[in-house]
Amino acid sequence: MDILKKVEQYREEEEKLKWEGTFAEYLDIVKQKPWVAQSAHSRIYHMIKDKGIETEHGAKKYSFFSSELYGLEEALERLVEEYFHPAAKRLDVRKRILLLMGPVSGGKSTLVAILKKGMEAYSRTERGAVYAIKGCPMHEDPLHLIPEHLRGDFYEEYGIRIEGNLSPLNMMRLQEEYNGRIEDVMVERIFFSEDKRVGVGTFSPSDPKSQDIADLTGSIDFSTIAEYGSESDPRAYRFDGELNKANRGLMEFQEMLKCDEKFLWHLLSLTQEGNFKAGRFALISADELIVAHTNETEYRSFISNKKNEALHSRIIVMPIPYNLKLSEEEKIYEKMIRESDVSDVHIAPHTLKVAAMFTILTRLKEPKRGDIDLVKKMRLYDGESVEGYNSADVDQLKKEYQDEGMSGIDPRYVINRISSTIIRKEVASINALDVLRSLKEGLDQHPSISNEQREKYLNFISVARKEYDNIAKKEVQKAFVYSYEESAKTLMDNYLDNVEAYCNKSKMRDPLTGEEINPDEKLMRSIEEQIGISENAKKAFREEILIRISAYARKGKRFDYHSHDRLREAIQKKLFADLKDIVKITTSTKTPDEQQLKKINEVVARLIDDYGYNSVSANDLLRYVGSLLNR
């Protein structure tokens, strides 16, 4: 009953939003809320903006897209700031078709679907309210009723520019139903809906021999010609083409570049002049965003054809590349699995991350700088801190290639392989090795991968495997450390006491005997060597640590285990190195004694409770790490 109550509540809310009144009453609304008269492009821009904009490291992140699209912040910022924003200001870009160009499964269709759904929801808000002449199949803008010679006066009074002319049907209705009195023409609030074909349209080309131009512009209703006497009578015409129905909103032109030329001619005048030709009528005004999407190969073929030059000049191409951020790619897989029927299968921690590593590596181009390899580049792109590199290096890397991210493995392939792993194993748990194995097997069946690419991709699977080996060893070693954070903190405090004494050239006091002793050089070096600090560099590193402690103290902050990335890494590695033999013996013994069994059970429990494994994946991990350490 709860769902039925919600349906009823939704119906009541819809009824409250409805409005109907005369054009004179509508003008009162326009005076109070001038945004109701904004253009389609302006409405879409404000819809995106009203959801909120965050700024991270100088880049804009739009909340409107963030729950559905991952890792495309730069492409989306370019789309909003270089197309929607100037189009909303009535600059010339609004007279262009928006063409999203990118590789398969890169998010183009998803982006358009988000815009469509967003417009449906936005038209139900106060800021997104849309009004139209009542009974008009094209949901025409009521302001078209204002005669041409009075539009200058209207702009002076209301500050709103009117573009477009009254459609043939509404011109006839104005005379016959309202005796030319525009103030009496009925206006209603409309709500965008793709299902009901209000303000949202989709055109998909089919067989050129059977598809009719009427799908775009509407057609004559032959059953009414006898009643109205002429094909040029607008009442004998069905204004039900996609261009008609998408008026005031958005029309998606699927596979536009595959379309027959005759379907594209109508877009020339619609984009440039804001009108199109239908039947035996004068030009019909339409205010809508036309968005199309294609891949790079089709686009190159399109622009190479001289016959398409007129249309090409009326297109703004927005590249939508693949995501190049590791953590965002992981989110894409999580979302796709959440929406599938395998969401109840346990996927061991790091499984999706390792799959994402492989995918991102296939999309990155080899750095031109000799001091950066693909793995470092992947980490830098993901915002990770890599020793010796900063944000300026990331910007430089991004400028090396204009088309980076336009090729590589698509998310669907990875999800297909993950699904295949789940189905084939018929168990309630899969891990990173299962998925890497499946990705490797799938390369042989992939139809569009050349032998050269296959070799390259197999190498990336090996790289991802090595990365996983390091992650797995760290995960197990962390779990073996009892009270890991506490052990790390104790070791770090001990190190810092010794560093302070070393830098200040002072003695330390033995906690047991109380006698003065020299700083423990052996302890300090055993930690520093874990991150490659040489004998010559040790003094500078220790002084850097002391300066950092002083800076924290001045700000009233406490220097702790997480305050210095390199020192934390060194402490971790030192702890892990000390534990390595224990881990090796415990995990590799086929018949562990009671003490070892107890330790294994403790580690499995910790992996389950603290790290997100289940009993199957935790035991698999222990066995695998044991084999790694015994090599």
Side-chain angles (χ1 to χ4, degrees):
M1 284 301 294
D2 283 348
I3 193 69
L4 293 176
K5 280 180 184 174
K6 286 177 180 175
V7 169
E8 186 184 349
Q9 187 182 346
Y10 178 77
R11 205 162 45 232
E12 287 170 2
E13 286 170 1
E14 286 278 287
E15 283 298 317
K16 285 178 191 172
L17 289 174
K18 286 181 181 175
W19 181 89
E20 192 178 298
T22 63
F23 181 66
E25 291 169 322
Y26 170 67
L27 285 182
D28 290 336
I29 292 174
V30 172
K31 191 159 263 185
Q32 293 166 31
K33 306 170 186 176
W35 62 80
V36 299
Q38 65 188 322
S39 68
H41 289 83
S42 175
R43 191 174 291 108
I44 292 169
Y45 171 67
H46 287 104
M47 167 184 77
I48 296 167
K49 195 177 160 196
D50 288 354
K51 272 281 184 180
I53 305 170
E54 295 174 29
T55 305
E56 288 180 12
H57 311 297
K60 290 181 179 176
K61 192 172 183 179
Y62 300 91
S63 301
F64 181 80
F65 299 108
S66 58
S67 63
E68 295 284 336
L69 291 171
Y70 302 102
L72 294 179
E73 288 81 13
E74 289 175 21
L76 292 171
E77 183 176 354
R78 193 164 59 244
L79 173 65
V80 175
E81 296 304 323
E82 292 182 19
Y83 183 79
F84 285 126
H85 193 180
K89 298 285 187 188
R90 295 180 185 268
L91 292 169
D92 217 45
V93 294
R94 73 195 167 102
K95 297 177 180 180
R96 307 284 181 273
I97 297 165
L98 174 62
L99 180 64
L100 307 175
M101 182 186 70
V104 293
S105 191
K108 304 183 297 294
S109 301
T110 304
L111 198 160
V112 178
I114 293 168
L115 288 173
K116 287 178 176 179
K117 289 292 176 193
M119 288 177 72
E120 290 181 359
Y122 195 59
S123 67
R124 285 161 174 75
T125 66
E126 186 183 356
R127 293 289 297 181
V130 190
Y131 295 82
I133 295 172
K134 190 182 178 189
C136 172
M138 284 184 61
H139 336 295
E140 189 165 7
D141 186 347
L143 295 183
H144 286 181
L145 291 161
I146 302 285
E148 193 72 42
H149 66 279
L150 293 177
R151 291 183 179 183
D153 297 338
F154 183 84
Y155 176 71
E156 284 182 20
E157 186 177 345
Y158 288 83
I160 295 167
R161 296 184 196 280
I162 302 172
E163 292 181 344
N165 300 312
L166 204 58
S167 67
L169 180 62
N170 285 323
M171 202 175 285
M172 177 177 276
R173 289 178 63 207
L174 176 61
Q175 297 307 320
E176 296 197 357
E177 293 178 30
Y178 300 103
N179 295 317
R181 291 175 56 82
I182 65 169
E183 61 269 38
D184 294 338
V185 173
M186 294 303 291
V187 175
E188 64 180 346
R189 183 174 177 180
I190 61 168
F191 305 102
F192 289 155
S193 167
E194 186 170 19
D195 294 338
K196 294 175 183 175
R197 300 187 75 213
V198 179
V200 182
T202 304
F203 181 79
S204 184
S206 57
D207 182 3
K209 292 174 184 174
S210 61
Q211 191 158 33
D212 191 351
I213 199 73
D215 294 348
L216 269 184
T217 60
S219 61
I220 296 164
D221 185 350
F222 289 101
S223 65
T224 60
I225 291 176
E227 183 184 347
Y228 298 120
S230 169
E231 289 184 17
S232 59
D233 189 310
R235 291 169 299 180
Y237 198 85
R238 286 198 297 257
F239 294 89
D240 59 356
E242 292 305 320
L243 293 180
N244 308 104
K245 292 299 182 181
N247 185 33
R248 313 294 300 285
L250 173 151
M251 190 191 84
E252 177 187 10
F253 213 124
Q254 294 179 346
E255 303 298 343
M256 186 183 87
L257 304 187
K258 288 179 181 171
C259 206
D260 192 76
E261 288 175 4
K262 65 181 180 183
F263 291 94
L264 303 180
W265 293 333
H266 285 280
L267 303 183
L268 294 175
S269 64
L270 179 59
T271 51
Q272 194 62 37
E273 311 299 335
N275 52 44
F276 64 92
K277 193 82 173 74
R280 298 176 181 180
F281 307 115
L283 290 167
I284 296 172
S285 297
D287 171 31
E288 57 198 83
L289 161 68
I290 296 175
V291 58
H293 37 89
T294 188
N295 59 50
E296 196 170 2
T297 308
E298 280 178 2
Y299 178 68
R300 299 291 168 218
S301 172
F302 172 76
I303 59 172
S304 65
N305 188 343
K306 294 290 182 185
K307 288 166 71 178
N308 297 323
E309 281 183 353
L311 190 62
H312 180 235
S313 67
R314 288 170 172 82
I315 289 174
I316 281 193
V317 180
M318 281 289 163
I320 307 292
Y322 281 133
N323 158 57
L324 296 175
K325 292 181 180 175
L326 178 62
S327 54
E328 297 294 305
E329 189 71 13
E330 207 178 338
K331 288 178 189 173
I332 293 172
Y333 302 155
E334 285 169 359
K335 178 190 166 216
M336 292 170 95
I337 288 167
R338 237 185 356 256
E339 293 169 353
S340 73
D341 290 335
V342 295
S343 54
D344 57 332
V345 174
H346 174 76
I347 297 174
H350 312 296
T351 300
L352 300 182
K353 181 178 183 177
V354 172
M357 280 181 188
F358 162 70
T359 316
I360 299 294
L361 287 169
T362 68
R363 297 172 185 172
L364 294 175
K365 290 187 180 285
E366 202 67 47
K368 292 177 182 176
R369 287 173 55 173
D371 60 332
I372 297 179
D373 61 20
L374 275 180
V375 174
K376 276 183 186 170
K377 186 176 184 178
M378 176 178 69
R379 291 205 166 111
L380 286 166
Y381 273 20
D382 200 36
E384 273 189 57
S385 177
V386 177
E387 179 66 23
Y389 302 98
N390 54 35
S391 58
D393 295 301
V394 179
D395 293 338
Q396 188 184 349
L397 284 169
K398 286 179 179 176
K399 287 173 185 170
E400 284 183 349
Y401 300 98
Q402 293 300 309
D403 60 342
E404 191 166 48
M406 297 302 274
S407 61
I409 292 289
D410 65 280
R412 284 189 198 132
Y413 170 77
V414 178
I415 287 297
N416 289 345
R417 299 315 302 165
I418 290 172
S419 305
S420 172
T421 308
I422 291 167
I423 302 300
R424 193 171 63 247
K425 267 195 98 178
E426 292 183 345
V427 291
S429 174
I430 64 165
N431 58 40
L433 293 175
D434 296 325
V435 171
L436 286 176
R437 203 175 296 116
S438 185
L439 287 169
K440 187 176 181 180
E441 290 166 4
L443 291 177
D444 293 327
Q445 303 155 22
H446 204 297
S448 59
I449 292 178
S450 65
N451 288 331
E452 186 185 345
Q453 283 177 314
R454 189 173 286 108
E455 287 304 312
K456 197 175 170 186
Y457 291 173
L458 285 171
N459 180 49
F460 292 147
I461 286 175
S462 300
V463 172
R465 167 79 177 266
K466 284 176 189 169
E467 291 296 308
Y468 175 65
D469 289 353
N470 291 330
I471 292 168
K473 281 189 274 192
K474 281 185 182 178
E475 197 92 311
V476 169
Q477 288 165 334
K478 271 196 288 185
F480 261 87
V481 180
Y482 184 71
S483 301
Y484 172 68
E485 291 283 335
E486 198 60 41
S487 304
K489 181 180 174 297
T490 304
L491 182 57
M492 192 191 76
D493 287 344
N494 196 358
Y495 173 76
L496 293 178
D497 289 342
N498 280 280
V499 163
E500 196 171 354
Y502 170 84
C503 291
N504 294 331
K505 295 184 172 57
S506 60
K507 299 274 188 181
M508 293 181 65
R509 196 168 292 280
D510 189 296
L512 293 176
T513 62
E515 65 179 306
E516 286 191 336
I517 54 172
N518 290 321
D520 190 341
E521 184 65 24
K522 190 178 177 184
L523 170 77
M524 289 187 286
R525 290 303 295 141
S526 71
I527 291 170
E528 291 157 359
E529 282 168 355
Q530 301 294 331
I531 50 169
I533 303 293
S534 66
E535 185 69 28
N536 292 334
K538 69 180 185 183
K539 186 172 184 287
F541 181 73
R542 292 169 188 177
E543 286 172 349
E544 180 199 323
I545 296 290
L546 213 57
I547 290 166
R548 181 76 66 92
I549 293 170
S550 302
Y552 267 65
R554 279 200 307 276
K555 293 174 185 173
K557 292 182 184 175
R558 188 175 177 279
F559 185 90
D560 63 18
Y561 174 62
H562 297 282
S563 301
H564 194 286
D565 289 340
R566 292 193 72 205
L567 179 57
R568 182 171 76 243
E569 185 189 347
I571 297 287
Q572 283 179 358
K573 285 185 173 178
K574 169 64 177 158
L575 280 172
F576 296 161
D578 293 345
L579 276 168
K580 192 171 181 178
D581 290 337
I582 302 169
V583 176
K584 193 191 296 186
I585 295 164
T586 313
T587 55
S588 61
T589 307
K590 288 183 180 177
T591 52
D593 60 33
E594 192 180 332
Q595 193 63 30
Q596 288 169 338
L597 200 60
K598 185 184 175 190
K599 190 71 180 170
I600 288 173
N601 290 335
E602 278 180 16
V603 173
V604 168
R606 198 161 296 122
L607 286 169
I608 293 169
D609 296 341
D610 299 343
Y611 298 98
Y613 291 83
N614 69 0
S615 59
V616 175
S617 59
N619 280 294
D620 284 348
L621 179 73
L622 279 176
R623 278 193 295 275
Y624 180 63
V625 170
S627 71
L628 285 177
L629 295 175
N630 278 304
R631 282 177 191 171

